């Protein structure tokens, strides 16, 4: 029998905290279900989905025709501010910045992720081949198939990856809140403008959001499990 320790004895050494498991694989798994379900419903031309798409598209198109000033602003936002090439320019700037700082693997990973997202997007457009809305009095025009929305998917991928980079590099609270607000406004705003301008059905935009978020989650999961990398650590940079 060992004597009981006195009540005022100092506590033992703290136990090491269990490392947090990365959440990206779980998020990716959760996003897979609605993304695949939506692709199936669009491919099967499910009636209720088409009805919702048509009702929303017709209503927003009437508003767009009746509000010239708002529609003009919407076209500027979607064609210049939130255009996929603008988004790609942002991610290219981030890639060059990372390469300059010596984080070459992260720069390559970022570039490849965006390229893969574009390939998936274009491949799905060709495979599903969903027609875009047609109007007797269009306020905008677009080419190629409708599903998924390239604008919505590209904005989601780019904003999601940039937010993850900011979190990894530990930006301050004010900068983080500003970045999150800008990302949310951009991702939601570009989807709304595509529907408002009459060039996409709502399901195209939702599909772009889901597939973009899934791309980001899968990419972060692959980076987290890269050999020799601990999830959540800052990328190694060359001094």
């Amino acid at each position: 029998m060992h004597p009981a320790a006195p009540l005022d004895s100092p506590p033992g050494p703290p136990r090491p905290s269990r490392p947090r498991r990365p959440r990206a694989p779980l998020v990716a798994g959760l996003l897979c279900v609605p993304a695949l379900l939506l692709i199936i419903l669009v491919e099967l031309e499910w009636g209720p989905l088409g009805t919702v798409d048509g009702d929303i598209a017709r209503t927003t198109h009437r508003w767009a025709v009746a509000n010239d000033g708002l529609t003009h602003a919407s076209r500027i936002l979607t064609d210049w501010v939130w255009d996929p090439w603008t988004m790609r320019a942002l991610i290219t700037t981030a890639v060059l910045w990372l390469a300059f700082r010596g984080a070459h693997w992260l720069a390559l990973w970022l570039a490849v992720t965006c390229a893969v997202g574009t390939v998936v997007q274009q491949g799905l457009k060709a495979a599903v081949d969903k027609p875009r809305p047609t109007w007797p009095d269009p306020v905008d025009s677009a080419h190629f198939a409708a599903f998924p929305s390239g604008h919505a998917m590209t904005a989601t991928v780019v904003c999601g990856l940039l937010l993850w980079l900011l979190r990894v590099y530990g930006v301050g609270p004010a900068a983080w809140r500003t970045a999150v607000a800008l990302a949310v406004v951009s991702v939601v705003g570009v989807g709304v403008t595509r529907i408002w301008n009459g060039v996409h059905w709502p399901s195209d935009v939702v599909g772009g959001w889901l597939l973009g978020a899934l791309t980001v989650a899968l990419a972060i999961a692959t980076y987290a499990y890269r050999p020799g990398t601990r999830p959540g650590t800052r990328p190694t940079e060359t001094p």
Side-chain angles (χ1 to χ4, degrees), residues 2 10 22 26 32 40 60 82 87 89 99 131 140 169 192 204 210 223:
H2 296 281
L26 175 61
C32 272
I40 292 171
T60 54
W82 296 322
M87 294 290 127
D140 201 355
Y169 276 89
V192 172
D204 305 335
L210 286 173
Y223 186 85

Side-chain angles (χ1 to χ4, degrees), residues 125-215:
K125 279 181 178 290
V128 177
D129 197 24
K130 181 182 177 183
R132 292 180 184 267
T134 55
W135 310 105
D137 48 354
V139 299
D140 201 355
S141 62
H143 306 288
F144 309 113
F147 184 90
S149 166
H151 281 66
M153 185 171 175
T154 302
T156 304
V157 170
V158 170
C159 290
L161 290 173
L162 291 179
L163 284 178
W164 180 80
L165 280 175
L166 291 176
R167 176 64 78 181
V168 168
Y169 276 89
V171 297
W176 171 251
R177 287 192 293 267
T178 302
V180 170
L182 288 174
V184 171
V185 169
S186 297
V187 171
V188 174
V190 74
V192 172
T193 60
R194 300 310 283 169
I195 299 171
W196 181 273
N197 292 353
V199 294
H200 273 295
W201 306 102
S203 58
D204 305 335
V205 170
V206 174
W209 287 337
L210 286 173
L211 291 165
L214 178 59
T215 301

